[in-house]
Amino acid sequence: MTALTIAKSINAGLRRAMDADAKVLVMGEDVGRLGGVFRVTDGLQKDFGEDRVFDTPLAEAGIIGTAIGLALRGYRPVCEIQFDGFVFPGYDQIVSQVAKMHFRSGGRLRLPITIRIPYGGGIGAVEHHSESPEGYFAHTPGLKVVSCASPADAYWMIQQAIASDDPIIFFEPKRRYYEKAEFDLDQEPDLPLNASRVVAEGSDATLAAYGPMVKTCLEAATAATDDGRSLEVIDLRTLSPLDLEPVYASVRRTGRLVVVHEAQRTLGVGTEVAARVTEECFYSLEAPVVRVTGYDTPYPPARVEEDYLPDLDRVLDGVERALSY
Amino acid sequence: MTALTIAKSINAGLRRAMDADAKVLVMGEDVGRLGGVFRVTDGLQKDFGEDRVFDTPLAEAGIIGTAIGLALRGYRPVCEIQFDGFVFPGYDQIVSQVAKMHFRSGGRLRLPITIRIPYGGGIGAVEHHSESPEGYFAHTPGLKVVSCASPADAYWMIQQAIASDDPIIFFEPKRRYYEKAEFDLDQEPDLPLNASRVVAEGSDATLAAYGPMVKTCLEAATAATDDGRSLEVIDLRTLSPLDLEPVYASVRRTGRLVVVHEAQRTLGVGTEVAARVTEECFYSLEAPVVRVTGYDTPYPPARVEEDYLPDLDRVLDGVERALSY
Amino acid sequence: MTVDTAVTSASGTAADTELVQLLTPEGERVPHEHYDTLIDDITADEIRDLYRDLTMSRRIDSEAIALQRQGELGLWASLLGQEAAQVGSARALRPQDHVFPTYREHGVAWCRGVDPAQLLGLFRGVDQGSWDPKENNFHLYTIVIGAQTLHATGYAMGVQRDGAIGTGDPERDAAVLAYFGDGATSQGDVNEAFIWAGVNNAPVVFFCQNNQWAISEPLERQTRVPLYRRAHGFGFPGLRVDGNDVLACLAVSREALQRARDGEGPSLIEAFTYRMGAHTTSDDASRYRLDSELESWRLKDPVERVKAYMTREKMADQAFFDGVEAEAEQLAEHLRTTCRSMPDPHPTTIFDHVYVDTPPTLRAQQEEMARYLDSFVDEKEAQ
Amino acid sequence: MTVDTAVTSASGTAADTELVQLLTPEGERVPHEHYDTLIDDITADEIRDLYRDLTMSRRIDSEAIALQRQGELGLWASLLGQEAAQVGSARALRPQDHVFPTYREHGVAWCRGVDPAQLLGLFRGVDQGSWDPKENNFHLYTIVIGAQTLHATGYAMGVQRDGAIGTGDPERDAAVLAYFGDGATSQGDVNEAFIWAGVNNAPVVFFCQNNQWAISEPLERQTRVPLYRRAHGFGFPGLRVDGNDVLACLAVSREALQRARDGEGPSLIEAFTYRMGAHTTSDDASRYRLDSELESWRLKDPVERVKAYMTREKMADQAFFDGVEAEAEQLAEHLRTTCRSMPDPHPTTIFDHVYVDTPPTLRAQQEEMARYLDSFVDEKEAQ
Ligand SMILES: Cc1ncc(C[n+]2csc(CCOP(=O)(O)OP(=O)(O)O)c2C)c(N)n1
Ligand SMILES: Cc1ncc(C[n+]2csc(CCOP(=O)(O)OP(=O)(O)O)c2C)c(N)n1
Ligand SMILES: [Mg+2]
Ligand SMILES: [Mg+2]
């Protein structure tokens, strides 16, 4: 067993993927000597050389667009977008090229590209550094969108993402980068990339979350036991495609679902979860699915972010609303 | 009363807005001498001059970015994006600048920009010319997103959009451009921009749609009367903010809702409609909200688009599913 | 400001803009100290081949336009007038080189060995590019303006990493050729491609077919100085060539591609040409440009000038021209029959290649569609 | 290829890169035939004012860094080393000119008359820019790299449409000044801004503070030729100025801005300078650059050289310098007290300016939040 932070787990995963396959490249702004602004690529350039780990010019369309070309040539690029809010200059290349090349070519071309995006708030940052843009990608056919919530998942999911022949948008919960946990680096993962997982069992209501909010939900579940409430927590892990079978199964037992994310509510991933769960579990639901999310405003200045973001209390408030409906 | 197509109604609306306010500008690719590839800006350059109606270099970020500057200087730019699939190079400027400038400035700055986007399929076009990207914008706080479905609405809504001090993404149902209807050019509109409207009354189930699908739903409602079904049809008109009061009122009577759009299903605007209606009308719903939409694939080649797009039969099939749930 | 006062004309003037030309519009061979050396190995046979390529390219185009008129295609983007730019540059390629086209490079596709009938599917609406890009090293058409220039640059960076430049092995060293139009030069993507190529010294040649128009917008809406100059500010060479002169296009492309293969980095070629037709079959060019402009360019026709040259130099007789004509006619017939027999794809196939690994949720939608379609069959059978 | 072989160094060499300099690092005034004429009206008083601006800018910066260390700010982007580039360019502005800054132009803000305390809110996290851009014609900071260059260009197109160029009226004719960094030159947006400005001949001056670094990336990752050359390919003049020389920055900016005001179009100024600090207070520059580089730039300090010049020319005595120091200390005190007393915004205010016309659905969310927050108050009261 090794104790690693999420940031270090991704680093270790990248390292292992690069060791395993010489075609894996790491590219982006400041990923080289600096090792990325979060040090997720720390030491990789030193160990794998400047051809495989390289600093790009400062332009996200260029990063994604050239990664496409590299992928067409047989490479497996891992692109780092420095912060969530800076993915949009590369958005056209992602939605019109990365997402569609396989489809366009009738299956002839594959783009095994991983786009890593540190995302989410709670770190006291300035504008554009705390956003949760996953909904923009989950709405895009052709992309697979995932987010990890624990060091072990971070380690395995990044490797699975790189090994995937489909393009993966890999959301990293930046405010959890430094959370540590023990896991066995050599024990093969129990789940494929696009699968969700029950991380706490319970019977009164179900919480579904991903990325940074998984921990918040787990804490809420612990706190709820004080009030005699038993909450089931599901880490969605994959946002597109969604893997909702475990959620359906849970909701059929609990009758109540609270879905939690930092992103704004309208058309956030929780909206799709709510719609599908309602479609599948209509007669099991005792209350409408409750969405505990960011509000429909731009991400606010840091000094009010704690009120914008769902926290333990807001999650429990959501649970109460579901239970007392 | 004048009989105008939707395309000509927008042209007339633009013309009236430009007459009323010398600060209104029209800009984009080919909007000048050509009058746009759909002729929506036909004759405007001739009548208002090259300073007010101008062809821009071929780059969407540039179109939106310079429109922002013009708006900051006191102008009211109306930008044309030539086709739905070409909005993405300008996406960063839209979501990170247009949508946020007012918020960022604490209310000091306003960006009265209208971004016109001919959208949707059914015209037998090549890739990128038939998409329905409205969900990407409706997920973005700070933007208002609307779509017109009739010549009268086209005429008034474009004027209301231009008069709005908030930025408006104005989706034009391109396959309906040449549909004609009579209306009174001088009779003031009965609705503000961000309001939905019941366009056919009925009692068995509710259909909610917008843009090109309104006509499809109206035809479905007519066809349904043969089977003795009475369908209420609501033209949403505004996709962000949603105005769902008329939908709630209708669903409370009918107990069944089918929401229809061309865009892919996952996180399409219909998903938000479904979630909110379920939240508001939980005990009234006899069946989960049915989403009749495009599938979760990239927009397919033209020769299969009729099977991708919802049509009268698929809408009626959705109604049957809602009724027989 | 004292530095380089701007030239305020996008076309430039004779004084400041050297246009590489080896064949005049009248078909006279003009000597050029430098570029002659790049084509001095060209035999009469090869000239005849070039003429054949030009003719076939034009015939593909005219047949496709006809098919569009007959309703067999939804759209066609004509290359009329740009045959020399396409054939000249494409014939400078080696098999291992890779090409990233726009949507108008039918002549390049021809030279790369793509069956022209395969180009039709996209315009007919049955697919989005049916050829295998790896088979002829000819990528799919890209419709989003300029996007492919970044793909080309990235691909070239891959070629670099593969050690496939500068080895001196003519069958190994590879270059990448990216096509785009004058309008495309305004896109951020294209400028970023220049930056990446410059910084990485990538083996990519940017080939801009400046056909003077981006739909209805004349060149002046994209630039006030000649486009080839753009390259210098990004740190690599740029030049302008007579895009209606197949020999000049061949010469400058050979040089630039070899430079790339040798590891000397990128270059920009501005092929000065003209879009003789409308933007596409959906466009009506009479709304925005004068017939007189078209007339003046007709005198510079890229096919006619080679014919005149060959006739003047007695490289070909009527029998040769008739032979090519007959071959072109055959090709047209092939296009007609193949096109008409192209089946519509089955609707449920749209789910097959969204992902390499199709998720169950998408399979479920596929089944949903299949059941729905079947319900009509059932209905029909029931009647 | 024979045309303009690329210079393969981003810094350039003396031979090919003219660097406008009027004041040496040692504070010696070097004559310049052309640029002297642009500052020959400058009085000793004005030199003293420039020194004061430089000192105040530096003091704002050092105080903000201190406030960040004390936890009063979440972040700060230091201008250390770039004072001359900022003050020199900003002092060339007229009141009616409009400025579009990045996130580092604190010295420009100072010169425009923005209360420096207002700059702190964004970095403290209480707002996203609290000054009124219309009051001092100084736009909000833009964090998305390069985005503001398009805003500046569009604004300049508005100035054109208002007839506020080329009238000869010094109080009417206006120019726009867009700041950005060396890294920003790689963004598509910046290149599109160049294109729009060129095509429209817009009255905008692009002022690139080439501080040699984009976070950890040296200039070589963005370009292999000097940045100022980029302009020529877009059809307008570009030059490089010693960015640590306030007089030279003033002179070239005056000329470029006047060119714009006169209707002669855009220009690009590359101010060759150096980021003496880390990228921001979150950055650790020791991870990627050598101390020796910093040392060599310390000898070119932009403030010290003016002080040396003034001393040499006897334009100021110790009393003057002490006076400026005291004033700077007062400013620092103002920053400290204002910063510490900046209240956190009330959470429900985040709904107030999402739209000019707030929709009922958003008001409902605001009420939802208010009710939720109130529930804690109730809880507390209940206890
Ligand atoms: C990003 C984007 N915006 C707009 C369009 C619509 N469009 C298609 S072709 C074209 C003009 C292209 O001009 P140019 O680059 O000169 O190429 P040409 O068609 O002349 O070969 C435009 C605006 C597009 N395809 N992509
Ligand atoms: C679109 C975008 N991508 C990435 C970033 C993250 N980032 C902030 S500053 C910076 C470097 C900017 O370098 P330069 O333009 O030289 O300006 P400087 O900071 O040196 O003044 C980067 C990459 C950003 N702000 N915006
Ligand atoms: Mg063109
Ligand atoms: Mg810099």
Side-chain angles (χ1 to χ4, degrees):
Chain A
M1 300 287 275
T2 319
L4 287 182
T5 63
I6 288 185
K8 288 239 162 72
S9 299
I10 299 171
N11 182 282
L14 286 169
R15 203 172 275 280
R16 213 168 120 153
M18 296 191 80
D19 268 332
D21 184 349
K23 293 291 186 186
V24 177
L25 306 175
V26 167
M27 57 194 283
E29 296 156 9
D30 306 292
V31 298
R33 198 169 311 172
L34 183 62
V37 293
F38 294 106
R39 311 290 183 263
V40 171
T41 58
D42 193 26
L44 297 180
Q45 189 178 66
K46 198 169 129 278
D47 295 343
F48 295 97
E50 297 199 11
D51 267 2
R52 293 188 63 196
V53 181
F54 51 99
D55 285 334
T56 64
L58 203 177
E60 288 74 11
I63 295 173
I64 307 297
T66 55
I68 291 170
L70 282 158
L72 291 171
R73 180 74 188 182
Y75 287 87
R76 304 183 87 84
V78 182
C79 304
E80 174 171 309
I81 298 294
Q82 199 160 76
F83 284 89
D84 33 65
F86 305 137
V87 69
F88 299 112
Y91 200 63
D92 176 59
Q93 286 285 350
I94 297 176
V95 301
S96 294
Q97 303 300 330
V98 174
K100 291 180 171 175
M101 194 72 83
H102 186 65
F103 185 81
R104 182 180 301 147
S105 71
R108 281 192 192 82
L109 300 176
R110 295 173 177 201
L111 294 183
I113 299 174
T114 302
I115 302 175
R116 296 181 38 241
I117 309 181
Y119 82 119
I123 61 162
V126 296
E127 207 187 347
H128 313 290
H129 290 72
S130 303
E131 300 176 9
S132 295
E134 65 275 13
Y136 294 113
F137 299 93
H139 182 47
T140 306
L143 300 177
K144 290 182 174 175
V145 186
V146 303
S147 181
C148 56
S150 72
D153 269 359
Y155 177 71
W156 284 114
M157 286 171 77
I158 190 68
Q159 293 179 62
Q160 291 171 320
I162 293 169
S164 162
D165 281 334
D166 287 309
I168 308 287
I169 316 291
F170 194 87
F171 280 100
E172 303 174 1
K174 72 166 93 81
R175 70 151 125 167
R176 308 291 185 210
Y177 266 150
Y178 308 111
E179 312 249 327
K180 215 177 214 171
E182 285 211 329
F183 65 100
D184 184 343
L185 286 169
D186 296 312
Q187 165 132 22
E188 290 293 308
D190 58 334
L191 281 179
L193 182 60
N194 292 109
S196 60
R197 171 195 279 137
V198 177
V199 286
E201 292 185 3
S203 51
D204 293 333
T206 308
L207 296 177
Y210 54 88
M213 287 292 106
V214 172
K215 184 175 185 228
T216 307
C217 287
L218 285 170
E219 288 170 354
T222 306
T225 55
D226 292 351
D227 301 328
R229 301 254 193 253
S230 159
L231 304 182
E232 180 136 313
V233 182
I234 297 175
D235 178 357
L236 293 174
R237 294 171 84 253
T238 172
L239 313 181
S240 179
L242 281 163
D243 170 32
L244 295 182
E245 292 303 333
V247 181
Y248 302 152
S250 180
V251 169
R252 283 187 192 114
R253 282 187 289 104
T254 64
R256 283 158 170 107
L257 176 64
V258 177
V259 57
V260 184
H261 55 63
E262 294 190 6
Q264 59 270 27
R265 186 175 307 162
T266 294
L267 291 172
V269 169
T271 309
E272 185 64 35
V273 173
R276 289 200 199 172
V277 168
T278 308
E279 284 162 11
E280 288 295 320
C281 310
F282 192 63
Y283 290 125
S284 310
L285 279 175
E286 307 279 346
V289 177
V290 171
R291 294 181 281 171
V292 175
T293 64
Y295 297 96
D296 287 321
T297 73
Y299 198 88
R303 295 278 180 136
V304 277
E305 69 180 340
E306 293 307 337
D307 289 290
Y308 175 86
L309 294 169
D311 60 5
L312 190 152
D313 284 326
R314 274 184 63 203
V315 171
L316 290 180
D317 177 69
V319 170
E320 281 320 303
R321 281 187 283 139
L323 286 165
S324 63
Y325 189 81
Chain B
M1 301 286 276
T2 319
L4 287 182
T5 63
I6 288 184
K8 289 239 162 72
S9 299
I10 299 170
N11 181 282
L14 287 169
R15 204 171 273 280
R16 215 168 117 153
M18 297 191 79
D19 268 333
D21 183 349
K23 292 291 186 185
V24 176
L25 306 175
V26 168
M27 58 194 285
E29 296 156 9
D30 305 293
V31 298
R33 199 173 304 175
L34 183 62
V37 294
F38 294 106
R39 311 291 183 266
V40 171
T41 58
D42 192 27
L44 297 180
Q45 188 178 67
K46 199 169 127 276
D47 295 343
F48 295 96
E50 297 199 10
D51 267 2
R52 295 188 61 196
V53 180
F54 51 98
D55 285 336
T56 63
L58 202 177
E60 288 72 13
I63 294 172
I64 307 297
T66 55
I68 292 170
L70 282 159
L72 291 171
R73 179 75 188 181
Y75 287 87
R76 305 185 86 86
V78 182
C79 304
E80 174 170 310
I81 298 294
Q82 198 160 78
F83 283 89
D84 33 66
F86 305 138
V87 70
F88 299 112
Y91 199 63
D92 176 58
Q93 286 285 351
I94 297 176
V95 301
S96 294
Q97 304 300 330
V98 174
K100 291 179 170 174
M101 194 72 82
H102 185 66
F103 186 81
R104 182 179 302 148
S105 71
R108 281 191 191 83
L109 300 176
R110 297 175 174 197
L111 294 182
I113 298 174
T114 302
I115 301 174
R116 297 181 36 240
I117 309 181
Y119 83 120
I123 62 161
V126 296
E127 206 186 347
H128 313 289
H129 290 72
S130 304
E131 299 175 9
S132 296
E134 64 275 12
Y136 294 112
F137 299 91
H139 182 47
T140 308
L143 300 177
K144 290 183 174 173
V145 185
V146 302
S147 181
C148 56
S150 71
D153 268 359
Y155 177 71
W156 284 113
M157 287 171 76
I158 189 68
Q159 293 180 62
Q160 291 171 322
I162 295 168
S164 161
D165 280 335
D166 286 310
I168 308 288
I169 315 292
F170 193 88
F171 280 101
E172 302 175 1
K174 74 165 92 82
R175 71 151 124 166
R176 307 292 185 210
Y177 265 151
Y178 307 111
E179 311 249 326
K180 215 179 214 170
E182 285 213 329
F183 65 101
D184 184 343
L185 287 170
D186 295 312
Q187 167 132 22
E188 290 292 310
D190 57 333
L191 282 180
L193 182 60
N194 293 109
S196 61
R197 173 195 279 136
V198 177
V199 287
E201 293 185 1
S203 50
D204 293 332
T206 308
L207 297 177
Y210 53 88
M213 285 292 107
V214 172
K215 184 175 185 228
T216 307
C217 287
L218 284 170
E219 288 169 353
T222 305
T225 55
D226 292 351
D227 300 328
R229 301 257 195 251
S230 161
L231 305 181
E232 181 136 311
V233 182
I234 296 175
D235 178 357
L236 292 174
R237 295 173 82 255
T238 173
L239 313 181
S240 179
L242 281 163
D243 171 31
L244 295 182
E245 292 304 333
V247 180
Y248 301 151
S250 180
V251 169
R252 283 187 192 113
R253 282 187 289 106
T254 65
R256 282 159 171 110
L257 176 64
V258 177
V259 57
V260 183
H261 55 63
E262 294 190 5
Q264 57 271 28
R265 187 175 308 163
T266 293
L267 290 173
V269 168
T271 309
E272 185 64 36
V273 173
R276 289 202 198 171
V277 168
T278 307
E279 283 162 13
E280 287 296 320
C281 310
F282 191 63
Y283 291 125
S284 309
L285 279 175
E286 307 281 345
V289 177
V290 171
R291 293 180 283 170
V292 175
T293 65
Y295 297 97
D296 286 322
T297 74
Y299 197 89
R303 295 276 181 137
V304 277
E305 69 180 340
E306 293 307 337
D307 289 289
Y308 175 86
L309 294 169
D311 60 5
L312 190 151
D313 284 326
R314 274 184 63 204
V315 172
L316 290 180
D317 177 68
V319 170
E320 282 321 303
R321 281 187 281 140
L323 285 166
S324 62
Y325 190 82
Chain C
M1 208 150 276
T2 51
V3 186
D4 292 41
T5 314
V7 181
T8 51
S9 147
S11 315
T13 60
D16 65 28
T17 307
E18 199 195 351
L19 180 85
V20 178
Q21 190 185 70
L22 301 178
L23 213 51
T24 68
E26 294 72 33
E28 270 170 287
R29 182 74 171 72
V30 270
H32 189 292
E33 201 178 341
H34 178 67
Y35 288 107
D36 280 354
T37 65
L38 280 141
I39 54 159
D40 56 14
D41 60 330
I42 297 276
T43 63
D45 257 356
E46 284 167 319
I47 299 280
R48 281 188 290 270
D49 283 349
L50 289 173
Y51 175 80
R52 178 174 166 271
D53 289 336
L54 294 167
T55 308
M56 300 301 265
S57 301
R58 182 164 287 187
R59 194 66 186 87
I60 293 165
D61 194 65
S62 63
E63 192 56 37
I65 293 174
L67 284 166
Q68 194 279 334
R69 297 239 165 87
Q70 293 153 27
E72 295 293 335
L73 301 181
L75 183 83
W76 182 252
S78 167
L79 62 59
L80 192 68
Q82 303 177 213
E83 296 86 351
Q86 297 192 10
V87 169
S89 54
R91 283 301 175 202
L93 289 161
R94 299 231 184 96
Q96 71 270 26
D97 296 334
H98 207 88
V99 174
F100 286 83
T102 73
Y103 41 79
R104 209 187 279 288
E105 274 69 67
H106 322 308
V108 181
W110 163 260
C111 293
R112 288 310 269 172
V114 176
D115 177 352
Q118 287 191 289
L119 302 172
L120 302 179
L122 187 163
F123 294 98
R124 184 175 169 88
V126 299
D127 60 54
Q128 296 175 326
S130 64
W131 60 97
D132 185 344
K134 286 172 199 150
E135 203 171 299
N136 306 95
N137 279 340
F138 183 77
H139 188 68
L140 298 179
Y141 280 0
T142 297
I143 291 175
V144 178
I145 296 296
Q148 76 284 0
T149 58
L150 280 169
H151 309 165
T153 305
Y155 194 95
M157 290 166 64
V159 170
Q160 271 178 318
R161 280 165 178 69
D162 291 343
I165 51 169
T167 71
D169 178 348
E171 271 160 42
R172 177 181 172 88
D173 290 345
V176 180
L177 185 53
Y179 288 93
F180 55 103
D182 43 298
T185 60
S186 294
Q187 281 286 5
D189 277 13
V190 174
N191 292 279
E192 292 182 15
F194 292 168
I195 288 164
W196 253 258
V199 165
N200 292 290
N201 213 32
V204 54
V205 175
F206 297 106
F207 195 90
C208 176
Q209 289 174 77
N210 175 358
N211 64 9
Q212 314 299 324
W213 293 91
I215 309 187
S216 75
E217 298 195 12
L219 189 57
E220 287 67 33
R221 295 313 301 161
Q222 319 292 341
T223 181
R224 286 152 40 92
V225 291
L227 289 171
Y228 75 90
R229 302 228 185 119
R230 189 78 62 85
H232 310 152
F234 293 96
F236 51 87
L239 60 66
R240 180 182 280 182
V241 64
D242 181 342
N244 286 14
D245 173 351
V246 73
L247 288 185
C249 288
L250 178 66
V252 300
S253 303
R254 278 186 168 183
E255 178 170 59
L257 288 165
Q258 194 51 42
R259 235 184 133 261
R261 289 185 208 107
D262 288 346
E264 287 169 33
S267 17
L268 168 64
I269 295 170
E270 178 192 0
F272 206 72
T273 178
Y274 194 74
R275 197 193 77 202
M276 305 273 279
H279 171 67
T280 65
T281 48
S282 295
D283 179 38
D284 172 7
S286 73
R287 287 182 69 97
Y288 53 81
R289 72 180 185 190
L290 296 172
D291 275 354
S292 56
E293 186 180 284
L294 185 59
E295 278 316 310
S296 82
W297 278 91
R298 258 200 202 113
L299 302 175
K300 303 179 192 159
D301 189 282
V303 188
E304 285 311 312
R305 87 168 69 173
V306 179
K307 192 169 186 181
Y309 171 57
M310 293 169 73
T311 308
R312 187 189 305 269
E313 300 287 329
K314 308 214 174 9
M315 288 178 189
D317 54 13
Q318 195 53 40
F320 168 77
F321 292 120
D322 291 347
V324 174
E325 218 37 65
E327 203 188 340
E329 216 29 70
Q330 252 179 341
L331 177 60
E333 176 58 30
H334 167 63
L335 291 178
R336 276 193 296 274
T337 24
T338 318
C339 182
R340 294 204 176 107
S341 66
M342 278 180 178
D344 289 353
H346 190 275
T348 60
T349 60
I350 68 171
F351 297 93
D352 289 340
H353 302 298
V354 181
Y355 299 97
V356 177
D357 181 16
T358 304
T361 42
L362 197 61
R363 283 274 173 249
Q365 284 194 7
Q366 188 173 30
E367 283 152 22
E368 171 192 325
M369 185 200 253
R371 264 195 314 276
Y372 173 75
L373 293 176
D374 282 350
S375 74
F376 289 92
V377 180
D378 297 351
E379 239 172 63
K380 255 199 195 144
E381 276 168 8
Q383 280 165 4
Chain D
M1 212 153 272
T2 52
V3 186
D4 295 41
T5 313
V7 180
T8 51
S9 149
S11 316
T13 60
D16 66 30
T17 305
E18 197 196 353
L19 181 84
V20 178
Q21 189 186 70
L22 302 178
L23 212 53
T24 68
E26 295 72 33
E28 271 171 289
R29 183 71 172 76
V30 270
H32 190 292
E33 199 178 342
H34 177 66
Y35 287 107
D36 280 355
T37 65
L38 280 141
I39 53 158
D40 55 14
D41 60 329
I42 297 274
T43 62
D45 258 356
E46 285 166 321
I47 299 279
R48 282 188 289 270
D49 283 348
L50 289 173
Y51 177 79
R52 179 173 166 269
D53 290 336
L54 293 168
T55 308
M56 301 300 267
S57 301
R58 183 165 287 187
R59 194 66 186 87
I60 294 165
D61 194 66
S62 62
E63 191 56 38
I65 292 173
L67 285 165
Q68 195 279 334
R69 298 241 164 87
Q70 294 153 26
E72 295 293 336
L73 301 181
L75 184 85
W76 181 252
S78 167
L79 61 59
L80 192 70
Q82 303 178 212
E83 296 87 350
Q86 296 191 11
V87 168
S89 54
R91 283 302 176 201
L93 290 160
R94 299 233 183 96
Q96 72 270 25
D97 296 334
H98 207 89
V99 173
F100 286 82
T102 73
Y103 41 79
R104 210 185 279 288
E105 273 68 68
H106 323 308
V108 180
W110 163 259
C111 293
R112 289 309 269 170
V114 176
D115 176 352
Q118 287 192 289
L119 302 173
L120 302 179
L122 187 163
F123 294 98
R124 185 175 169 87
V126 299
D127 58 55
Q128 295 174 328
S130 64
W131 60 96
D132 185 346
K134 286 173 197 148
E135 204 172 297
N136 305 94
N137 279 340
F138 183 76
H139 188 68
L140 298 179
Y141 280 0
T142 296
I143 292 175
V144 178
I145 297 295
Q148 77 282 1
T149 58
L150 281 169
H151 309 164
T153 305
Y155 194 96
M157 289 166 64
V159 170
Q160 272 179 317
R161 279 166 178 70
D162 290 344
I165 51 168
T167 71
D169 177 349
E171 273 160 41
R172 177 181 173 87
D173 290 345
V176 179
L177 186 53
Y179 289 92
F180 54 103
D182 44 297
T185 61
S186 293
Q187 280 286 3
D189 277 14
V190 174
N191 292 278
E192 292 184 14
F194 291 168
I195 288 164
W196 252 259
V199 166
N200 292 289
N201 212 33
V204 55
V205 174
F206 296 106
F207 195 90
C208 176
Q209 288 173 77
N210 175 358
N211 63 7
Q212 314 299 324
W213 292 91
I215 308 186
S216 74
E217 300 195 13
L219 189 57
E220 288 64 36
R221 296 312 303 162
Q222 319 293 340
T223 182
R224 286 153 39 95
V225 290
L227 288 172
Y228 75 91
R229 301 230 186 118
R230 190 76 63 85
H232 309 152
F234 293 96
F236 52 88
L239 61 68
R240 180 182 280 182
V241 64
D242 181 341
N244 286 15
D245 172 352
V246 71
L247 287 185
C249 288
L250 179 66
V252 301
S253 303
R254 279 185 168 184
E255 179 171 59
L257 288 165
Q258 193 53 42
R259 236 184 133 261
R261 291 186 207 106
D262 288 345
E264 285 168 34
S267 17
L268 168 64
I269 296 170
E270 177 192 1
F272 205 72
T273 178
Y274 193 74
R275 197 194 76 202
M276 306 272 280
H279 172 67
T280 64
T281 48
S282 297
D283 180 39
D284 171 8
S286 73
R287 287 182 68 98
Y288 52 81
R289 72 180 185 190
L290 297 172
D291 275 354
S292 56
E293 187 181 283
L294 185 59
E295 278 315 311
S296 82
W297 278 91
R298 262 205 197 108
L299 303 175
K300 303 181 193 159
D301 189 282
V303 187
E304 286 311 312
R305 83 168 71 172
V306 178
K307 192 170 186 179
Y309 171 55
M310 292 169 74
T311 309
R312 187 190 303 268
E313 300 287 330
K314 308 211 175 4
M315 286 178 189
D317 52 14
Q318 195 53 42
F320 168 78
F321 293 120
D322 292 347
V324 172
E325 218 38 68
E327 203 188 342
E329 218 26 75
Q330 253 181 340
L331 178 61
E333 176 57 31
H334 166 63
L335 290 178
R336 277 192 296 276
T337 23
T338 318
C339 181
R340 294 203 176 108
S341 67
M342 277 181 180
D344 289 354
H346 190 275
T348 60
T349 59
I350 67 171
F351 297 93
D352 288 340
H353 302 298
V354 182
Y355 299 98
V356 176
D357 182 16
T358 305
T361 42
L362 197 62
R363 283 273 173 251
Q365 286 194 9
Q366 188 173 28
E367 283 152 23
E368 171 191 326
M369 184 200 255
R371 265 197 313 276
Y372 174 74
L373 293 176
D374 281 351
S375 74
F376 290 91
V377 181
D378 296 353
E379 240 171 62
K380 258 199 195 144
E381 276 167 9
Q383 280 165 4

